[in-house]
Amino acid sequence: MSAANSSSSSSSSSPPNLLAIILDVTTFTWTHRSLARTAKDKALAAKKKSSSGPATLDDVITSVLALGVSFSCLNRDNVLVVIGATEEEVSVIYPRKGGEGNMEEVVMGGGGSGGNGGECGERVDTGLLHDYVRLGVAELVNRSAERAERCAAAGVPTQNRKRGAAIASALSLALCTTNRFMVASHAGVSALSNASSLQRKDDEGIIALMNGGSSGSNDARPAGPQGILSPRALIIQASPDRTSDYNALMNCAFAADKSSIVVDGCFIPAGLTKDDDRDSPYLQQLVDRTGGVYLSVPGGAAQVGGALSEVLMSVFLPPPHIRGSMNLPKLHNVDFRARCFETGESIDVAQICNQCLSIFKERPKEVCLTCGAKVRRGRPSGSGSKKMKLK
């Protein structure tokens, strides 16, 4: 009896967590990897060898579901949100807007099965989680394929189509959704107020909110008061960084840091050729700014079977307040070099748009590729001017 009470008290002492998982489901990236995986598996099967990756979209979805179920078992009040991102669309795929276990029910403290929650957690229904995530991903992929077909029929050049997942838009949606849960959890107080502001007296809290609260270190993020959700996010990315989204992504990083929301990053490289990206510099900067954990999943056997699930649960399942006692991957060499928003190349001298501060290796010919402002013809690029003059 004492052991049960001890277990119950230790479980209740840890604050509930809110985890927003952002999943890259870009059609081009995963179709290319699926075809390459099929060809490699056939060649290895002929030699009586097992698969060596890369991971397919189904592998990643299975691993994300395993992570979500494990997360819901840590605390019955934990909240899970899954967001899918394609090239031109982002959407919350769990919980869904309508139907059983919808967003409104989860925000107000219920789960699935008529508001009684799931098997493991009060606010996460594992059955609906599996159904909704796979259904949501299928819907996003189908709509993305339909847009690609319409662009091809309209004669839109391939180079003019967007590549890479809309990670910045997905993270923005995750922050908005997180704030919605935090407002409900804090009885009307926005997630923009930190834990110290919530614990102050009424008059002191108003002054703290007006001043934006006190700034803290990225590595020491205190857990909220008992019963208040501790928010964090996990970005699982497979496609290359989208250079045009850098400003928006960094704005989201500052917003997350201001709100004490830890953002973790997991990059899944293809490893098919030497030219494939092994890391995501933008994701590294984002994780470093918010005090999260970054991991580039090794290739080969680490991406197939149940190995990817083990990797995700070993690295990203522990809540931030206990990570200091664990031997987790650390970022030592973050690439902070400026990159051209058009080509993605690292540059030392650049042309800067004075409207949106976008960085370019060469002066754009007509308009800024980020904000669309017209470029005024001034001195040539080599004359020493480093800033574009825009109308």
Side-chain angles (χ1 to χ4, degrees), residues 350-368:
Q351 301 288 330
I352 303 175
C353 173
N354 60 8
Q355 299 291 325
C356 66
L357 302 181
S358 295
I359 301 172
F360 300 99
K361 181 179 181 180
E362 302 291 342
R363 182 194 298 266
K365 296 181 180 180
E366 300 294 339
V367 297
C368 172

Side-chain angles (χ1 to χ4, degrees), residues 4-49:
N5 292 336
S6 174
S7 175
S8 173
S9 62
S10 63
S11 175
S12 61
S13 63
S14 61
N17 280 241
L18 188 156
L19 174 61
I21 300 178
I22 298 173
L23 180 59
D24 177 357
V25 294
T26 47
T27 309
F28 178 83
T29 299
W30 292 113
T31 301
H32 176 66
R33 295 193 184 192
S34 179
L35 294 175
R37 168 77 174 271
T38 301
K40 286 184 63 178
D41 286 353
K42 288 182 179 179
L44 291 173
K47 300 178 181 179
K48 298 183 179 180
K49 295 182 178 180

